[in-house]
Amino acid sequence: DPPERTKVRIMNSPYMSWAVIHLAKANGCFDDLGIDVEFVTMRGIREGLPALAQGRLDVLPGFITPGYVNLMQRGAGIRIVADKGYMEAEGCPYRAFLASRELVASGRLDSFEGLRGLRIAGERTSTSYYALSSLLRAGNLTEDDIEWIDLPTPAKQGALEAGAVDIVNASEPWITRIVQSGAGVIWLPARDVVPGFQHSFLMFGPSLLEKDREAGMKFMVGYLRGVRIYNEGKTDHNVRVIAGETGLEETLVRDACWPPIRSTGEYDTESLLTYQSWAFEEGLIDGLVPVEGFWDPAFIEYANRVLAEEH
Amino acid sequence: MGFQCKDLGVTYKTQNGELEALTDVSFSVRDHEFVCLVGPSGCGKSTILKLVAGLLEPTLGTIAFDTVPANGRPRNAMVFQEHGVFPWMNVIDNVAFGLEIRGVPREERRAIARRFIARVGLSHFEESHPHELSVGMRQRVSIARAFVNDPEILLMDEPFGSLDAMTKMVMTEELMGIWSRQRKQVLYVTHDIEEAIMLGDRILVMTGRPGRIREEIEIRLPRPRDLRDRDSAEIVKIKEHVWEILEEEVRSGLREGS
Amino acid sequence: MGFQCKDLGVTYKTQNGELEALTDVSFSVRDHEFVCLVGPSGCGKSTILKLVAGLLEPTLGTIAFDTVPANGRPRNAMVFQEHGVFPWMNVIDNVAFGLEIRGVPREERRAIARRFIARVGLSHFEESHPHELSVGMRQRVSIARAFVNDPEILLMDEPFGSLDAMTKMVMTEELMGIWSRQRKQVLYVTHDIEEAIMLGDRILVMTGRPGRIREEIEIRLPRPRDLRDRDSAEIVKIKEHVWEILEEEVRSGLREGS
Amino acid sequence: MNGRKLAGSMIPVIPPAILIVTLTLIETVTRMEILPSLFFPPPSAIVSTLYDMTTEGELLDHLSATVLRLLTGFLLGGIPGMILGMMMGWSTAIRRILDPFVAALHPVPKISSLPIIMIIFGIGFVSRTIVVAVASFFPMLINTMAGVRQIHPIYFDVARNSGASRMQILRRVVLPGSTPFILAGVRLGLNVSLSISLAVELLLADKGIGTLIWMAWQTMRIEELYAAIVTAALVGISIRLFVQVMLDRCVPWATKART
Amino acid sequence: MNGRKLAGSMIPVIPPAILIVTLTLIETVTRMEILPSLFFPPPSAIVSTLYDMTTEGELLDHLSATVLRLLTGFLLGGIPGMILGMMMGWSTAIRRILDPFVAALHPVPKISSLPIIMIIFGIGFVSRTIVVAVASFFPMLINTMAGVRQIHPIYFDVARNSGASRMQILRRVVLPGSTPFILAGVRLGLNVSLSISLAVELLLADKGIGTLIWMAWQTMRIEELYAAIVTAALVGISIRLFVQVMLDRCVPWATKART
Ligand SMILES: Nc1ncnc2c1ncn2[C@@H]1O[C@H](COP(=O)(O)OP(=O)(O)OP(=O)(O)O)[C@@H](O)[C@H]1O
Ligand SMILES: Nc1ncnc2c1ncn2[C@@H]1O[C@H](COP(=O)(O)OP(=O)(O)OP(=O)(O)O)[C@@H](O)[C@H]1O
Ligand SMILES: [Mg+2]
Ligand SMILES: [Mg+2]
């Protein structure tokens, strides 16, 4: 008798940072656990957060935004349950500041003073903005000293090429694309500004946190299996799956930086506390959420036990 | 079976203030009576017809009808001075409109409409739309539509004004036939004094604006009347009388600029 | 200074195929001549006027004018059967429209318009919009507009059809005054045979559809003419003749359904 | 045939001629790489991409998803809009009561209120359709209302004089009398519905021309991007042809002359 | 005063009454937490947020940025749309030539072509304004065109008979004759411009109601989100009042009766 199957609705986006989920699903990591993953395609977590809080989505792979903090601050039943990407001190940069080769070569960017008056493009989404803000703080500058330009990602490359902006903040695969097109070079990886930053994670909503924790546990087992496959690196198989799910060329996927994910799913809570104090000073959040208010380790603990037994 | 208008007054609100169109209008139309309404241009004839038709609320006064119309049959049908032929319907649908409203089945109402269309001489144009007709042809559509409705009261606002003399005569004969066969009241606006005398049991002559009934003239000529009698002393007398009233009203209107 | 129409033919394209409205229409209007056009409803009178006005291209035939209009002055002005008073302009702007087009300064054109508005008895309504006027009042606006334009050729399509007998007489006097003072050609559509005889130098009597000129009748009565003369043998003869033609045309039209 | 008629008979060939000239011009300019070829592929490349996408069947899938969304949304929004527009155009009382609400709701940004709609109606088909429906509701309502208000009052008088009920007046006077403006509303509404369908697909669908556009952006396949946009344009041309046919069939009287 | 007139005089108070009743209802429901208060704040909380935002001056800043963008875009798009619409409504030849292009361009999704527009026109004011202008161009064009086509041909005849030049016909017949539909287009166009302004601000502005909405989403400050949307609704009501005043002033003849 096959076990009763549980449906888990998970927000899907064809971004590189969804790679783990795509790999896990493609490799059937959930199948023998009785979990059926249903993808709900959306563009960003802005749309997904309320759905998660209302129990219309069960799992939201996401990145940190002030809205997430504010929602938990107000008692929404959502928690971070696993790592999905952080900024490693060494290795390739998943997010970076890029500038034209000439600007970097000129040496102007070697001192913070050189930033004054430059046009810097990014999105006021937290990570991009957090990196910039941290950069400026490190140099005792404020946002008034530069010109911040909000740009949709696809326009960044053209803007840099046309000289409409001086510096852009981008993530993969845009970094590789910009570099390969010759429009710009990496000037400063974001990890140098916000080292170790936990930019990406997996969230559960009330349906898995409260109603059906067991399903959450099982899902996590599948997820961590996916992480292990991901950590095998740029194997042909992995490249093909990710390229297939995101629609990117395989060469681009292969050339791009894959951010590291801890195979235990362990999450650096310290990083989020630092982020919160920054966001609070910026007036983006209404209060600080303590660790137990945003992080629920029970799921990875269970999954790690199961996976340890398997081996 | 007639109706009585009592102390009717109408004041239009316009951009340049109020305009008193009618004042103290009282008259009645008796059962099976043919009443003509003549008066200077702009004196309120069309306004009176709209009041009787219930399309306009009088500012003052009341209208009382002797009977409630039998089921289905409309109390009145109006031939509008501006024809009001629906541009989005072809001729036959325009003429059959009243029957459609009363729920007469399609084939039946088209058959009836066809009969009346033939009588106004438009059989070739049953399927035409109004913009393909001449002005007089549109007026005939509007006449046929009113006849088809077969009301108790026929309200006709210069119904034959856009027709040539001969077609007008044919239509007049048609009207007199319908009126004498079926008991109807007719309130008939015309600019043609001779026509009023030939058709009416009574003529109401109006003053200039604000319109009042200045005089009621009973026409006691035997029917059927003949246009060629028009030089009889009686007719000439009435004609000259109406003419004098009109002249006085129009001249004084023109003097004061309306 | 007149104009000649030669072998004019008009065929309208309609939803139900082609409709021949005019065929073989030839006539000319001489300098300072007053020509009346009578014919059964729907025979193509308005169509002829539109051809002369250049608002419609004939399917066949040509129209030749003897002169080119002097600068500014329009060749023709038309009183449309449907009035065509602009709903978005008040009375004075409607009447002054032709002058505005010719670039006459505002105050000057308003002064001229005001004079003509007074003559058609609408001084109280200078600032009113057309929807606040009765049908006859709108027709007078349209008449004043044409008079103001002071053209070489006046084209009038039943210009006084919506006016009471007395107002009509006043307007007719006005027209005759203008026509006799200023050398103009007038082409005048009317349904009233007596009116045609009283006004015209010539009457063109048309057949039913497709319209042709069936007969041209010269009226050799001295001017000014008097309506009260209408029982003179000459007039009666013409009247009866026209009447007979019309009767024949209309009866045959009615028989075959228009 | 005189010169004017000859010129008139040339009209149908002018738009294609303009199109061909423009495309040739762009082709030349892009081939000469005057514009950055990364963002400005030559039209021939776009056409061939379009051809490939069609033969692979993918395009038709996306197209039919979008058209379905568009039509469902339009019917759900446009028809209520038309009915309400007729009521509001006809009755001053209804207009005065409802117009403030219409005015307040109309500018509420459709796409940016999608999150709220998702909060209220969930993340499924319903929310997506509601956004598209709302978008076509307003052009239909406002145009129908204006259309009804321009019907000459005499036609209402004639209908009332024939004893027509409110329903009959609606069907036989209000509806046909405002058809030209309803059709202008249909054209606007369908186009807005299309735009919003695309935007919704961009945000959260997994199928449709909008998804195609977004995927093309995301993967920087510029030919596909243009091919998707050309497909949207073709839908727009179909909408216009449809409205044109309706105009010719339903209101020959209005485009020629009116009594 | 009879019953009917009395009822008529009540009309102006009905919309506020409906509003008050609805708000009271929502207030009760949300206070009773029948709906999750996280996403459904009571109206009173929204009003007080609105008040705070206004007194802090922040709201007015954003509002004026949006209104400026909206008006600039509308003028740049709506007026050409109106002029082209007049030409296309008037001349069958021009309509036949241009309409296919209008039909093809209309559905091209405004917002998702923003990146292309930014590539062509840069990232500044111009790109943002073009998107808004294009959005208001089409409703104005299509409504004006429909408006011109419904003008009874006799008025063109009268004008030509008076010797009017094309320019004079345009000014004295085409323009006034289509005003009711131009104004319906203005209403639609202004609202679309507003929606698109907000969407553009959502994407890339640093000021405006759209930015406010976006920031509120980003930070999940739901009261601010609703407050921003209410502000957009108020702009919509102002648009309607403006169009109403224009209607009453410019076309008293059209709303009452026509010759
Ligand atoms: N809707 C309206 N708004 C304002 N005033 C109006 C309106 N309808 C008619 N009037 C005015 O009321 C008066 C009477 O108009 P009505 O149409 O009844 O005259 P009438 O006797 O039928 O004239 P005619 O013989 O010219 O048709 C006129 O002075 C006219 O200006
Ligand atoms: N726009 C049109 N399209 C199609 N047919 C038309 C059009 N205008 C007129 N006709 C037809 O042409 C014929 C002549 O019309 P016209 O208006 O010239 O007649 P008329 O002599 O002025 O009639 P009336 O005395 O009734 O005004 C009619 O049979 C009419 O049906
Ligand atoms: Mg009247
Ligand atoms: Mg005629």
Side-chain angles (χ1 to χ4, degrees):
Chain A
D1 225 23
E4 209 172 295
R5 304 191 69 80
T6 315
K7 194 170 76 178
V8 172
R9 291 157 303 171
I10 174 165
M11 184 191 134
N12 178 32
S13 264
Y15 287 127
M16 284 220 18
S17 69
W18 257 251
V20 190
I21 314 282
H22 294 142
L23 285 173
K25 187 166 184 233
N27 286 289
C29 297
F30 302 108
D31 291 347
D32 58 331
L33 297 163
I35 300 280
D36 287 330
V37 168
E38 186 196 331
F39 276 164
V40 179
T41 306
M42 291 190 201
R43 189 167 63 167
I45 62 157
R46 228 196 310 152
E47 284 72 39
L49 261 181
L52 182 73
Q54 287 179 301
R56 289 181 169 134
L57 277 176
D58 304 312
V59 182
L60 183 68
F63 48 87
I64 188 69
T65 74
Y68 171 66
V69 179
N70 278 338
L71 266 191
M72 280 185 303
Q73 169 79 21
R74 293 162 171 226
I78 53 179
R79 291 287 182 277
I80 296 173
V81 292
D83 180 22
K84 193 173 80 51
Y86 66 96
M87 291 190 181
E88 207 181 14
E90 300 295 322
C92 63
Y94 179 70
R95 177 172 287 281
F97 293 96
L98 296 101
S100 68
R101 187 175 298 280
E102 298 75 47
L103 184 59
V104 175
S106 73
R108 174 169 179 180
L109 299 180
D110 292 350
S111 75
F112 284 115
E113 284 308 303
L115 287 175
R116 279 188 195 279
L118 290 186
R119 295 159 301 170
I120 306 180
E123 287 153 287
R124 239 176 240 271
T125 55
S126 54
T127 315
S128 180
Y129 187 60
Y130 180 45
L132 177 76
S133 174
S134 306
L135 175 70
L136 294 176
R137 282 182 183 205
N140 273 327
L141 296 172
T142 69
E143 218 186 295
D144 296 337
D145 297 321
I146 55 128
E147 190 183 336
W148 171 263
I149 293 168
D150 241 299
L151 263 193
T153 301
K156 283 177 189 164
Q157 183 177 349
L160 198 58
E161 208 161 25
V165 296
D166 302 303
I167 297 175
V168 301
N169 184 297
S171 60
E172 288 291 16
W174 296 93
I175 296 179
T176 305
R177 234 185 234 135
I178 292 173
V179 171
Q180 289 181 349
S181 76
V185 295
I186 294 178
W187 162 55
L188 182 69
R191 59 148 195 259
D192 294 358
V193 190
V194 283
F197 178 55
Q198 270 298 164
H199 57 83
S200 192
F201 44 72
L202 200 68
M203 273 181 281
F204 283 175
S207 53
L208 296 184
L209 289 173
E210 289 153 28
K211 278 206 210 92
D212 193 356
R213 272 185 92 83
E214 197 186 332
M217 300 285 178
K218 285 188 193 159
F219 177 86
M220 189 56 76
V221 173
Y223 174 75
L224 288 188
R225 282 177 183 165
V227 172
R228 279 160 207 214
I229 295 170
Y230 174 85
N231 281 341
E232 287 166 12
K234 299 171 178 175
T235 62
D236 285 348
H237 172 73
N238 282 0
V239 168
R240 213 175 312 121
V241 170
I242 295 172
E245 288 291 337
T246 57
L248 299 170
E249 292 92 359
E250 290 189 11
T251 52
L252 185 63
V253 173
R254 201 181 294 278
D255 292 342
C257 175
W258 296 23
I261 302 174
R262 296 181 190 92
S263 55
T264 56
E266 192 60 44
Y267 181 83
D268 177 9
T269 52
E270 206 50 45
S271 161
L272 190 56
L273 293 174
T274 314
Y275 172 82
Q276 282 195 51
S277 54
W278 167 81
F280 190 70
E281 283 168 34
E282 289 285 319
L284 293 172
I285 58 175
D286 306 326
L288 301 175
V289 180
V291 173
E292 49 300 355
F294 63 79
W295 169 236
D296 186 342
F299 297 92
I300 58 164
E301 282 163 9
Y302 168 82
N304 279 317
R305 273 201 308 280
V306 173
L307 290 176
E309 283 163 20
E310 277 180 11
H311 285 276
Chain B
M1 306 249 279
F3 61 92
Q4 294 84 38
C5 298
K6 212 164 158 315
D7 302 330
L8 296 177
V10 169
T11 303
Y12 286 107
K13 290 206 174 57
T14 76
Q15 280 180 287
N16 316 308
E18 303 205 322
L19 184 114
E20 194 176 15
L22 289 179
T23 183
D24 274 332
V25 171
S26 298
F27 66 93
S28 54
V29 175
R30 288 182 291 268
D31 189 17
H32 200 204
E33 195 179 21
F34 198 119
V35 176
C36 292
L37 204 54
V38 301
S41 171
C43 72
K45 302 179 292 295
S46 300
T47 304
I48 289 182
L49 257 56
K50 280 186 198 159
L51 290 175
V52 175
L55 298 172
L56 190 73
E57 290 268 311
T59 316
L60 291 169
T62 53
I63 305 178
F65 294 92
D66 291 343
T67 53
V68 174
N71 63 355
R73 202 170 155 211
R75 167 170 284 148
N76 69 73
M78 181 137 158
V79 179
F80 289 83
Q81 196 175 8
E82 296 163 86
H83 318 335
V85 177
F86 296 119
W88 47 84
M89 297 183 197
N90 60 18
V91 167
I92 198 165
D93 287 343
N94 259 296
V95 172
F97 182 70
L99 299 176
E100 183 190 338
I101 292 304
R102 277 190 267 162
V104 177
R106 184 179 148 89
E107 279 319 311
E108 190 180 334
R109 68 176 187 250
R110 283 173 72 91
I112 299 174
R114 236 179 238 119
R115 225 165 45 233
F116 280 91
I117 291 172
R119 290 203 207 156
V120 299
L122 289 176
S123 293
H124 277 180
F125 292 87
E126 277 172 8
E127 304 292 334
S128 298
H129 276 80
H131 71 267
E132 298 167 343
L133 304 182
S134 79
V135 176
M137 290 158 86
R138 286 204 288 268
Q139 186 161 49
R140 285 182 273 158
V141 173
S142 163
I143 293 164
R145 182 172 60 191
F147 284 172
V148 160
N149 275 2
D150 181 27
E152 268 181 26
I153 305 171
L154 252 178
L155 303 168
M156 306 186 88
D157 203 345
E158 270 198 84
F160 307 142
S162 300
L163 302 178
D164 65 278
M166 185 61 214
T167 307
K168 178 173 175 168
M169 207 179 87
V170 176
M171 294 296 113
T172 308
E173 280 163 10
E174 192 68 41
L175 170 63
M176 294 318 283
I178 288 176
W179 173 69
S180 57
R181 275 195 307 277
Q182 303 156 4
R183 301 180 69 81
K184 278 187 203 316
Q185 291 80 256
V186 181
L187 189 56
Y188 188 97
V189 173
T190 178
H191 289 145
D192 184 334
I193 302 170
E194 276 176 20
E195 189 184 16
I197 297 171
M198 284 302 137
L199 297 178
D201 294 320
R202 225 161 5 122
I203 301 180
L204 308 178
V205 188
M206 294 183 66
T207 67
R209 188 174 46 84
R212 277 176 298 108
I213 308 289
R214 180 164 152 164
E215 208 167 311
E216 296 198 11
I217 302 169
E218 204 89 24
I219 316 279
R220 292 180 207 281
L221 297 172
R223 292 180 187 272
R225 298 175 189 163
D226 187 341
L227 206 68
R228 266 149 279 179
D229 288 340
R230 67 178 185 194
D231 296 316
S232 75
E234 169 96 28
I235 294 184
V236 170
K237 211 186 84 204
I238 299 174
K239 211 158 70 181
E240 277 175 1
H241 183 57
V242 174
W243 188 258
E244 269 161 27
I245 301 176
L246 267 185
E247 177 154 12
E248 207 182 304
E249 293 292 338
V250 169
R251 295 265 180 227
S252 85
L254 278 177
R255 254 199 314 282
E256 46 171 278
S258 151
Chain C
M1 305 251 281
F3 60 92
Q4 295 84 39
C5 298
K6 212 165 155 322
D7 303 328
L8 295 177
V10 169
T11 303
Y12 286 108
K13 292 206 174 58
T14 76
Q15 278 181 288
N16 316 308
E18 302 207 322
L19 185 114
E20 194 176 15
L22 290 179
T23 182
D24 273 333
V25 170
S26 297
F27 67 93
S28 54
V29 175
R30 288 181 290 268
D31 188 18
H32 199 206
E33 196 181 18
F34 198 118
V35 176
C36 292
L37 203 54
V38 302
S41 172
C43 72
K45 304 178 291 296
S46 300
T47 304
I48 291 183
L49 257 56
K50 280 184 197 159
L51 289 175
V52 175
L55 297 171
L56 190 72
E57 291 269 311
T59 317
L60 291 169
T62 53
I63 306 178
F65 295 92
D66 292 342
T67 54
V68 174
N71 62 358
R73 204 172 155 208
R75 167 171 284 148
N76 70 74
M78 182 139 157
V79 179
F80 289 82
Q81 197 175 6
E82 296 165 85
H83 318 337
V85 176
F86 296 119
W88 47 83
M89 298 183 196
N90 60 19
V91 167
I92 196 162
D93 287 342
N94 260 296
V95 172
F97 181 70
L99 299 174
E100 183 190 337
I101 293 302
R102 278 190 268 161
V104 177
R106 186 179 148 88
E107 278 319 312
E108 192 179 333
R109 67 174 188 252
R110 284 174 71 91
I112 299 174
R114 235 178 239 118
R115 227 167 42 232
F116 281 91
I117 291 171
R119 291 205 207 154
V120 299
L122 290 176
S123 294
H124 277 181
F125 291 88
E126 278 172 7
E127 304 293 333
S128 298
H129 276 80
H131 71 267
E132 297 168 344
L133 304 183
S134 78
V135 175
M137 291 158 86
R138 285 204 288 269
Q139 187 162 49
R140 286 182 271 158
V141 174
S142 163
I143 295 165
R145 183 172 60 190
F147 285 172
V148 159
N149 276 2
D150 183 27
E152 268 180 25
I153 306 170
L154 253 177
L155 302 169
M156 306 184 87
D157 203 344
E158 271 198 82
F160 307 142
S162 300
L163 301 178
D164 66 279
M166 186 60 214
T167 308
K168 178 173 175 168
M169 204 177 89
V170 176
M171 294 296 114
T172 308
E173 281 164 10
E174 191 69 42
L175 170 64
M176 294 316 284
I178 288 177
W179 174 69
S180 58
R181 274 195 308 278
Q182 303 156 5
R183 302 180 68 81
K184 275 187 206 315
Q185 292 80 255
V186 181
L187 188 55
Y188 188 99
V189 173
T190 178
H191 289 143
D192 184 335
I193 302 171
E194 275 178 19
E195 188 184 18
I197 299 171
M198 284 300 135
L199 297 177
D201 293 321
R202 223 159 8 119
I203 302 180
L204 307 179
V205 189
M206 293 182 68
T207 67
R209 190 173 46 82
R212 277 176 297 108
I213 308 288
R214 179 163 156 162
E215 207 168 314
E216 296 199 12
I217 301 168
E218 204 89 23
I219 316 280
R220 290 178 208 283
L221 298 171
R223 292 181 187 271
R225 299 174 188 163
D226 188 340
L227 207 65
R228 266 147 282 180
D229 287 339
R230 65 178 184 194
D231 297 318
S232 75
E234 168 97 25
I235 293 183
V236 168
K237 212 187 85 206
I238 299 174
K239 212 157 70 183
E240 279 176 359
H241 182 59
V242 174
W243 188 258
E244 270 159 26
I245 301 178
L246 268 185
E247 176 153 11
E248 209 182 304
E249 294 292 335
V250 168
R251 294 267 179 224
S252 85
L254 278 177
R255 254 198 315 280
E256 48 171 277
S258 158
Chain D
M1 207 186 248
N2 61 22
R4 202 156 148 192
K5 275 185 195 152
L6 191 70
S9 72
M10 298 288 293
I11 287 174
V13 304
I14 297 180
I18 295 179
L19 190 68
I20 290 168
V21 171
T22 316
L23 288 182
T24 315
L25 213 75
I26 298 180
E27 183 82 21
T28 320
V29 169
T30 47
R31 286 215 176 275
M32 288 164 62
E33 304 241 351
I34 294 173
L35 295 166
S37 63
L38 181 62
F39 297 113
F40 300 98
S44 58
I46 297 170
V47 172
S48 93
T49 307
L50 203 55
Y51 177 79
D52 292 346
M53 289 165 79
T54 315
T55 50
E56 283 159 22
E58 175 197 14
L59 189 68
L60 291 181
D61 260 28
H62 287 290
L63 181 61
S64 57
T66 300
V67 169
L68 189 72
R69 191 186 314 285
L70 151 72
L71 291 182
T72 321
F74 178 74
L75 291 181
L76 287 175
I79 290 177
M82 185 177 95
I83 293 172
L84 208 64
M86 289 201 281
M87 315 294 274
M88 287 172 66
W90 186 12
S91 150
T92 315
I94 297 182
R95 182 168 61 254
R96 291 234 192 99
I97 292 171
L98 295 184
D99 213 13
F101 296 99
V102 170
L105 293 175
H106 189 175
V108 170
K110 269 100 228 148
I111 279 301
S112 48
S113 49
L114 186 59
I116 289 191
I117 292 176
M118 282 165 54
I119 288 174
I120 302 174
F121 296 100
I123 52 180
F125 180 76
V126 178
S127 280
R128 296 163 199 209
T129 311
I130 283 178
V131 179
V132 178
V134 166
S136 54
F137 175 80
F138 289 104
M140 281 298 275
L141 186 148
I142 286 175
N143 266 18
T144 306
M145 185 161 76
V148 174
R149 291 185 79 186
Q150 58 81 44
I151 298 174
H152 196 293
I154 196 172
Y155 300 121
F156 290 96
D157 280 352
V158 170
R160 282 168 60 203
N161 188 242
S162 294
S165 66
R166 303 197 131 246
M167 204 50 220
Q168 287 169 322
I169 293 180
L170 198 71
R171 246 177 18 85
R172 294 302 264 158
V173 179
V174 173
L175 181 64
S178 54
T179 306
F181 304 95
I182 294 180
L183 285 176
V186 167
R187 185 168 169 185
L188 283 172
L190 279 173
N191 275 317
V192 174
S193 286
L194 177 57
S195 297
I196 298 288
S197 295
L198 297 178
V200 168
E201 289 164 0
L202 249 125
L203 269 181
L204 40 68
D206 39 9
K207 216 159 219 114
I209 303 292
T211 312
L212 216 55
I213 292 178
W214 182 63
M215 284 297 289
W217 261 128
Q218 213 53 43
T219 55
M220 277 312 238
R221 291 188 176 126
I222 298 294
E223 288 89 0
E224 280 183 22
L225 175 68
Y226 282 100
I229 288 180
V230 168
T231 311
L234 292 176
V235 176
I237 292 184
S238 319
I239 290 173
R240 183 223 164 208
L241 288 178
F242 166 74
V243 171
Q244 193 58 51
V245 169
M246 295 296 286
L247 264 176
D248 289 344
R249 286 202 48 169
C250 303
V251 281
W253 54 271
T255 47
K256 297 212 185 110
R258 310 212 297 175
T259 315
Chain E
M1 208 188 251
N2 62 22
R4 202 154 148 194
K5 277 186 194 150
L6 191 69
S9 72
M10 297 288 292
I11 288 174
V13 304
I14 296 179
I18 294 178
L19 189 69
I20 289 168
V21 170
T22 316
L23 288 182
T24 314
L25 212 76
I26 298 180
E27 183 82 22
T28 320
V29 170
T30 48
R31 284 214 176 278
M32 287 164 64
E33 303 242 355
I34 294 175
L35 294 167
S37 65
L38 198 57
F39 296 113
F40 300 97
S44 59
I46 298 170
V47 171
S48 95
T49 308
L50 204 56
Y51 177 79
D52 291 347
M53 289 165 82
T54 314
T55 49
E56 283 160 21
E58 175 196 13
L59 188 69
L60 291 182
D61 261 22
H62 287 290
L63 182 60
S64 56
T66 299
V67 169
L68 189 70
R69 191 185 316 282
L70 149 75
L71 291 182
T72 320
F74 178 73
L75 291 181
L76 288 177
I79 289 177
M82 185 176 96
I83 292 172
L84 209 62
M86 290 202 281
M87 315 295 274
M88 286 172 64
W90 186 13
S91 151
T92 315
I94 298 181
R95 181 168 61 252
R96 292 235 193 99
I97 292 170
L98 295 183
D99 213 11
F101 297 98
V102 170
L105 293 174
H106 190 176
V108 171
K110 271 101 224 149
I111 279 301
S112 49
S113 43
L114 188 57
I116 291 191
I117 292 177
M118 285 170 62
I119 289 165
I120 303 176
F121 296 101
I123 54 177
F125 179 76
V126 177
S127 282
R128 297 161 199 210
T129 312
I130 282 178
V131 179
V132 178
V134 166
S136 55
F137 175 79
F138 290 104
M140 280 299 273
L141 186 149
I142 286 175
N143 266 18
T144 307
M145 186 162 76
V148 174
R149 292 185 78 185
Q150 57 83 43
I151 298 174
H152 196 295
I154 196 173
Y155 301 121
F156 289 96
D157 280 352
V158 169
R160 283 168 59 203
N161 188 244
S162 294
S165 66
R166 303 196 132 247
M167 203 52 221
Q168 286 170 322
I169 293 180
L170 198 72
R171 243 176 21 82
R172 295 301 264 159
V173 179
V174 173
L175 182 65
S178 53
T179 305
F181 304 94
I182 295 180
L183 285 176
V186 167
R187 187 167 168 187
L188 282 171
L190 278 174
N191 276 320
V192 174
S193 287
L194 177 56
S195 296
I196 299 287
S197 295
L198 296 177
V200 169
E201 288 165 2
L202 247 124
L203 268 181
L204 44 67
D206 39 11
K207 210 148 223 134
I209 303 293
T211 310
L212 218 55
I213 291 178
W214 190 79
M215 282 302 286
W217 253 119
Q218 203 55 32
T219 55
M220 282 290 156
R221 288 176 175 144
I222 301 291
E223 288 90 358
E224 279 183 25
L225 177 68
Y226 283 102
I229 286 181
V230 167
T231 311
L234 292 177
V235 176
I237 293 183
S238 320
I239 290 173
R240 184 223 165 206
L241 289 179
F242 166 73
V243 171
Q244 193 58 50
V245 169
M246 294 297 286
L247 264 177
D248 290 344
R249 285 202 48 170
C250 302
V251 281
W253 54 271
T255 47
K256 294 207 187 113
R258 311 209 299 172
T259 314

